[in-house]
Amino acid sequence: MKRIAILTSGGDSPGMNAAIRSVVRYGVSKGMEMYGIMRGYTGLLEDDMMQLNFSDVGGIMEKGGTILKTARCEEFKVDRGRIEAYEILKNRKIDGLVVIGGDGSLNGATLVANESNVKVVGIPASIDNDIYGTDMCIGVDTCLNTVVENIQKLKDTASSHERAFIVETMGRNCGYIALVAGLTTGSEAIVIPEVKVDYQALSDKLLSGKKRGKVNSIVVVAEGAASAYTVARHLENRTGYETRVTILGHVQRGGSPSVFDRLLASRLGANAVQSLIDGKSNIMVDLKGSKLSSLGLDEVLQTKKELDIGLYDLANTLS
Ligand code: ADP
Ligand code: F6P
């Protein structure tokens, strides 16, 4: 192993830069030549890459987004597109590749590992926290802090006007963001794709809160479960509550990474490079409890990450 390339792909997440910094600096410290590929698989297909040295990744730890940019690249899903990419990697004499991204990006990574001579290690980075095998993906913690901070602000105005706020979070088909944000803000109800929504029970919950003297109600809805507007309409009709909808949107993907994400990214980045140096390939480095480990990408991609429904029950009990 002599030359290692790194790319970020799919939806960005806070902490990707900390991971880039760690991969590059750890690699350089082990005598590797490190290359940064721009715009994920798109830049790879365009041979858009440059050598990165220790000082090239200075001052990026605290920055949100990714200095390597990211993209969604349809061409990479096609055999012919990938064959071109393998030629480019061969001409560049790249023998290791670190892919930082979500499950889609890891799908691309396993194909590179299986179809070329390049060894590949994936690093889970996605605000959705929907990747099997790791307790946390890079970016989830920062995203949750953003969501919680925003819900806290909405509570202020909800209380003043005695309104119900329906807050829609991201997460694609996974309810993790809504579940944890709902629990940690003491929101009245959480609507997630993993649990069938019961509008009658939801309305009863809001009404019983009102009876207890609550002056605001927050319902957190995961984008994959229902439209926040649909939930608002149901609740307004059944409870007579005046409602407002807030769709948090892409603000959830931005911001300076939290300490947790900086630490996770720094640890996973170094671990990914060490795994390549040790001759490993077609794996994802991950966090289980407080320890790092790794898992074959086949298993990661073929297994659905289950949400801890116990947290949903707890949120319901406590709210
Ligand atoms: P994320 O990595 O955040 O889940 P996407 O699902 O959009 O984001 O995937 C990012 C990119 O990974 C895609 O645009 C594509 O280039 C690549 N990719 C996704 N799925 C595959 C696949 N089945 N085969 C090859 N490449 C893929
Ligand atoms: O996967 C991360 C994510 O932010 C999802 O939560 C969301 O559904 C999607 O990406 C949004 O994608 P885009 O940036 O293309 O709008």
Side-chain angles (χ1 to χ4, degrees), residues 62-119:
E62 62 270 34
K63 290 201 166 76
T66 158
I67 59 158
L68 293 177
K69 314 283 182 208
T70 184
R72 294 203 165 96
C73 173
E74 285 305 309
E75 235 180 307
F76 207 72
K77 294 182 180 170
V78 181
D79 291 358
R80 212 158 32 99
R82 289 196 306 279
I83 287 166
E84 272 176 45
Y86 304 149
E87 252 336 277
I88 290 167
L89 288 168
K90 196 169 155 201
N91 291 340
R92 289 275 193 172
K93 297 191 169 57
I94 304 281
D95 20 46
L97 176 68
V98 176
V99 172
I100 304 175
D103 58 346
S105 305
L106 297 177
N107 263 297
T110 195
L111 290 173
V112 179
N114 285 324
E115 298 172 348
S116 77
N117 293 322
V118 176
K119 295 200 182 322

Side-chain angles (χ1 to χ4, degrees), residues 11 72 126-128 170-172 223 250 253:
R72 294 203 165 96
S126 163
I127 60 163
D128 302 339
M170 277 188 168
R172 215 169 275 196
E223 64 175 353
H250 289 78
R253 291 224 303 251

